[in-house]
Amino acid sequence: GAQISEFSKAGGRLTEMARAVANRSRALQAILQSALNIARFASPTRDSHVVCVMSPAGCSHVNGFKVDNWKQNLRVIYQCFVWSGSAETRKRKAKSCICHLCGAHLNRLHSCLHCVFFGCFSKKHIHEHAKSKRHNLAIDLLYGGIYCFVCQDYIYDKDMEQIAKEEQRKAWKLQGSPPPHHQLFSKTSGIGEKYSMWEPTKRELELLRHNPKRRKITANCTIGLRGLINLGNTCFMNCIVQALTHTPLLRDFFLSDRHKCEMQSNSCLVCEMSQLFQEFYSGHRSPHIPFRLLHLVWTHARHLAGYEQQDAHEFLIAALDVLHRHCKDDNGKKANNPNHCSCIIDQIFTGGLQSDVTCQVCHGVSTTIDPFWDISLDLPGSSTPFWPLSPGSDGSVVNGDSHPSGATTLTDCLRRFTRPEHLGSSAKIKCSGCHSYQESTKQLTMKRLPIVACFHLKRFEHSAKLRRKITTYVSFPLELDMTPFMASSKESRMNGQYLQPVDSLNNDNKYSLFAVVNHQGTLESGHYTTFIRQHKDQWFKCDDAIITKASIKDVLDSEGSVAHIHQCSDV
C-alpha cells in the first residue's frame, strides 16, 4: 500500500508538471506548434548528413520543460524509473515500467517527461505519443539519456546532466557502492553493473591451477561487438571508436585495469575509454550511447565541439593526443619510441619518420627523425602529381595485393610517399657542407614502425580554387610488408624504382589489416562506417547502432575509393 501511495504521489507530481507546461505562454505554444508540424517524429537516422543540426549551445526545446518545479519532477523520474537505488524502487520499476500500448518491458523503453506515459522506442510507440500529445521530450529508462522529438536526437543539457549525476550517486550510496573513480560501471541497468578490480581468492587460484584449459572465443562469438547511437552527426566519432576498441593491445591494456588516473576531476578521457571497453566487452548487445565520451571530446578538443559534420581522421588524431596527455608515463619509465614516452598510446601508435635532405652539389645528407601517429597518402586525381603506377598494373601480385589492371594500390601510395622529391630552386636550403644555399632532394622513409600503423588516404582536397572529394579507387591488401619502405632498405630503391624486399622473413615489418573506415557521400554531406576484424577472417560492418556480418570480399571491395583510414596490426 505504501509503494502504491508513493507511486501515486510521483504520478501526481508528473501530472502537475504536465499542467504547468500546458499553461505556458501562447507565443511559446505557437513556436513549439510550428516546430512540431515540421518534425518527422522518427528514430535517429544512421545517415548523419540528414540529421537535424543543433547549435553548440544544445537543444532549445528543453526550455519548454524547465518551468515551475521541473528539477524536483526530473529527480523523481530518475529516482523511481531510471537509477532505482533501493530494492523498493527497483520492484516498482519492474512492475510499472511497461509500454502503455503493447505492454512490453524491452524495446528501449522511454518515459514522457511531460506526463505519465511509457512507450517503446523501437516500435515507435513513444513517437506516436509525442506526436499526438505534442510532448517533445522523453527519457531513456535504461541509460537516462534525454531525447528530443523535434531535434530527432538525444540531447545534452548541463542542468539535467547534473541532476542525473547527483541521483545516480545517491543510488550508488543506497547500495553501499564506492564512488565511480574507485570502480568502473556499465550503465546497463538501474545504476549499472559494477566492474571492480578482480583479484583471485585462494580457492580460485587452486581451481585455475587444476584446470589449465581456458574458454576459447569461437568463430560465432559476438563479445566485443556493440553498436553506438549516433548523437547527431557523430558517425565520425563512432567509426573511430569501433576501430580503437578492436585494437588488440589497446583492448588488453584497458581490460586489465592498467591505467592509474591522477586527474582530480571526472574529465579524464582515458578513464572514459576504460569504461567504454567495459561496455563493449560486457556481453550486452543493445547499442551504447557514448554521450559522456562526446562531452569529454568537446571539452578537450574544442575545435570538434558542436553538431556539425567532422572529419574522422581529425578526430582520430585529436583523440590520440588527448589520450596521450591523460595517460602519459603511466609506469614512469622511458620508452624506446620517437616520443620517448611509455604511455600506452605511444607504445602502440608512435613510429619514427626519417627525412633525408641531400644537397645536389656536395651530396651531403641532413637527417631528421620525427614521431608520427599516422601516414597521410596522396591519391591519383588530386592536384599533386602522382608517380608512378605499380609494376603490377597488368594484374600481377605486388606485396600480397592482387589488383585489376590499372587499379591504384596502397603500395603505389606508399611508393610515392617514400620516393625522392626534388625541392627545386624556389626551396633551396643552406647546406652545412657547402655553406651556401643549394638545391636539394628530400626523401621520407620509415625509421621505426609502430605496432599499429594508421594510413590516412587524403580524400578531401582543400585549396584556394578547389574543394572536392577524390573518388579514386584504391586497392589494399589483407597482409602488407613494410620492408621496402624502411630507411634500412633505402639502398634497395634507386630513383624510386620498386624492388622486391630481400629480407622476407622479418615479421616485424609485416602487418595485418584489422580495421577500415569508409566515407560515403560528398564533401558537404556524408556518412562514416567501419569494417572491423573480430577474429581471424571474421569481419563485421559497424554502421552506428547496426552491426552486420561482412565477408573479406566486402572489405576489399568496400568502395576502396572512399576508404579513409587503414589500421594494421603486426602479425
Side-chain angles (χ1 to χ4, degrees):
Q3 293 179 3
I4 296 175
S5 176
E6 290 180 14
F7 182 67
S8 299
K9 291 179 181 179
R13 286 194 289 267
L14 290 174
T15 304
E16 292 177 4
M17 175 187 68
R19 290 173 179 172
V21 173
N23 292 329
R24 61 187 181 273
S25 67
R26 292 182 179 179
L28 183 58
Q29 287 181 353
I31 293 172
L32 290 177
Q33 178 63 48
S34 177
L36 286 166
N37 287 337
I38 63 173
R40 297 184 307 181
F41 294 100
S43 59
T45 176
R46 298 195 308 273
D47 297 326
S48 60
H49 58 281
V50 297
V51 174
C52 296
V53 177
M54 285 186 237
S55 68
C59 173
S60 59
H61 309 103
V62 175
N63 296 330
F65 172 75
K66 292 182 175 180
V67 294
D68 297 336
N69 200 26
W70 72 272
K71 290 185 178 181
Q72 181 58 32
N73 294 328
L74 186 61
R75 289 185 187 277
V76 170
I77 295 175
Y78 273 112
Q79 291 169 5
C80 298
F81 307 127
V82 182
W83 303 137
S84 306
S86 65
E88 291 76 16
T89 54
R90 286 195 297 274
K91 289 179 181 179
R92 184 187 305 135
K93 178 178 179 179
K95 293 179 180 180
S96 306
C97 293
I98 59 174
C99 178
H100 285 185
L101 294 184
C102 69
H105 287 82
L106 304 176
N107 299 321
R108 293 180 61 192
L109 203 63
H110 283 55
S111 171
C112 178
L113 286 184
H114 302 274
C115 67
V116 181
F117 181 88
F118 301 135
C120 299
F121 194 95
S122 301
K123 295 184 178 180
K124 300 190 183 300
H125 292 157
I126 189 69
H127 298 73
E128 296 172 8
H129 171 79
K131 186 175 183 179
S132 62
K133 300 295 184 181
R134 298 174 184 173
H135 292 172
N136 301 330
L137 302 177
I139 184 170
D140 188 331
L141 298 185
L142 190 63
Y143 298 97
I146 307 294
Y147 188 85
C148 175
F149 292 95
V150 179
C151 298
Q152 303 176 47
D153 215 335
Y154 289 95
I155 61 173
Y156 173 81
D157 180 83
K158 183 178 179 181
D159 297 329
M160 289 182 169
E161 176 70 6
Q162 184 62 33
I163 291 175
K165 286 182 178 180
E166 291 174 358
E167 295 305 322
Q168 190 176 40
R169 289 180 181 275
K170 290 179 182 178
W172 282 333
K173 291 180 179 179
L174 286 175
Q175 286 199 349
S177 300
H181 61 274
H182 291 304
Q183 283 189 322
L184 300 177
F185 291 84
S186 171
K187 283 73 174 181
T188 55
S189 59
I191 61 171
E193 298 176 4
K194 292 175 287 185
Y195 294 93
S196 57
M197 292 178 59
W198 175 74
E199 293 184 2
T201 62
K202 291 182 178 180
R203 172 60 178 164
E204 289 169 339
L205 286 173
E206 287 296 323
L207 289 172
L208 290 172
R209 290 192 190 101
H210 290 90
N211 297 275
K213 292 184 178 181
R214 299 289 179 263
R215 183 179 180 182
K216 295 182 179 179
I217 296 178
T218 63
N220 296 324
C221 181
T222 59
I223 189 169
L225 294 174
R226 193 167 185 184
L228 292 168
I229 296 293
N230 192 315
L231 299 177
N233 287 332
T234 59
C235 58
F236 71 94
M237 178 182 74
N238 290 349
C239 68
I240 296 300
V241 168
Q242 292 287 359
L244 291 177
T245 52
H246 288 87
T247 303
L249 290 180
L250 203 61
R251 175 197 62 205
D252 295 344
F253 174 84
F254 280 109
L255 293 183
S256 59
D257 197 27
R258 298 284 298 278
H259 172 58
K260 300 175 183 178
C261 185
E262 296 182 357
M263 299 183 68
Q264 299 298 323
S265 61
N266 294 327
S267 61
C268 179
L269 186 62
V270 187
C271 292
E272 179 58 32
M273 282 297 295
S274 182
Q275 293 194 28
L276 195 63
F277 271 88
Q278 300 287 355
E279 291 279 4
F280 266 72
Y281 291 91
S282 64
H284 297 285
R285 296 187 179 185
S286 59
H288 177 61
I289 306 176
F291 64 96
R292 296 183 186 277
L293 177 65
L294 181 64
H295 173 64
L296 287 177
V297 170
W298 286 3
T299 301
H300 298 293
R302 295 189 177 276
H303 62 288
L304 296 175
Y307 289 95
E308 294 82 8
Q309 296 186 51
Q310 303 289 352
D311 183 78
H313 169 252
E314 188 176 1
F315 174 81
L316 170 66
I317 299 304
L320 291 179
D321 178 61
V322 177
L323 288 170
H324 161 72
R325 288 188 278 115
H326 288 188
C327 70
K328 190 174 182 181
D329 297 330
D330 261 357
N331 57 22
K333 298 178 181 178
K334 288 289 184 180
N336 184 25
N337 60 56
N339 267 356
H340 302 294
C341 176
S342 62
C343 79
I344 189 62
I345 299 302
D346 280 324
Q347 288 185 51
I348 296 176
F349 295 98
T350 298
L353 187 65
Q354 179 170 316
S355 174
D356 295 320
V357 179
T358 305
C359 175
Q360 295 296 284
V361 176
C362 69
H363 301 290
V365 180
S366 173
T367 300
T368 57
I369 300 174
D370 297 310
F372 71 87
W373 280 332
D374 71 315
I375 301 170
S376 294
L377 302 173
D378 291 314
L379 300 177
S382 65
S383 57
T384 304
F386 192 89
W387 171 96
L389 288 177
S390 75
S393 60
D394 58 352
S396 61
V397 177
V398 176
N399 208 348
D401 182 13
S402 176
H403 51 277
S405 177
T408 301
T409 68
L410 182 63
T411 303
D412 290 329
C413 299
L414 285 168
R415 289 176 59 232
R416 188 199 182 282
F417 182 79
T418 57
R419 71 178 176 88
E421 177 185 3
H422 185 66
L423 298 182
S425 58
S426 61
K428 291 183 178 180
I429 63 167
K430 189 172 184 179
C431 176
S432 58
C434 300
H435 301 289
S436 61
Y437 287 92
Q438 303 290 351
E439 292 189 19
S440 59
T441 59
K442 180 181 179 180
Q443 185 172 13
L444 299 175
T445 51
M446 310 297 164
K447 178 64 176 178
R448 181 186 178 278
L449 290 171
I451 296 176
V452 172
C454 305
F455 297 108
H456 166 224
L457 302 180
K458 296 164 74 171
R459 291 289 176 191
F460 303 135
E461 187 173 30
H462 301 271
S463 64
K465 298 181 180 180
L466 195 63
R467 293 181 70 255
R468 60 170 182 155
K469 176 182 175 181
I470 301 170
T471 58
T472 305
Y473 173 80
V474 175
S475 174
F476 44 89
L478 289 174
E479 308 291 335
L480 179 66
D481 189 349
M482 289 291 290
T483 302
F485 314 109
M486 298 295 294
S488 58
S489 304
K490 184 179 178 181
E491 61 274 9
S492 68
R493 291 187 312 277
M494 302 178 63
N495 298 322
Q497 297 303 310
Y498 179 88
L499 293 177
Q500 290 287 350
V502 177
D503 186 8
S504 60
L505 299 177
N506 187 359
N507 286 329
D508 290 340
N509 299 338
K510 294 182 179 179
Y511 285 76
S512 174
L513 186 71
F514 74 87
V516 179
V517 174
N518 290 286
H519 179 269
Q520 295 92 33
T522 64
L523 185 65
E524 291 77 18
S525 178
H527 181 59
Y528 284 103
T529 59
T530 311
F531 283 105
I532 56 97
R533 188 183 67 187
Q534 175 74 346
H535 314 296
K536 185 177 182 180
D537 298 333
Q538 296 290 320
W539 287 85
F540 293 86
K541 181 180 180 181
C542 304
D543 186 355
D544 285 334
I546 299 177
I547 309 292
T548 54
K549 189 75 176 290
S551 66
I552 295 177
K553 188 177 185 301
D554 293 332
V555 178
L556 299 182
D557 294 344
S558 63
E559 293 187 317
S561 58
V562 294
H564 190 67
I565 296 177
H566 291 152
Q567 292 195 333
C568 305
S569 176
D570 55 347
V571 180

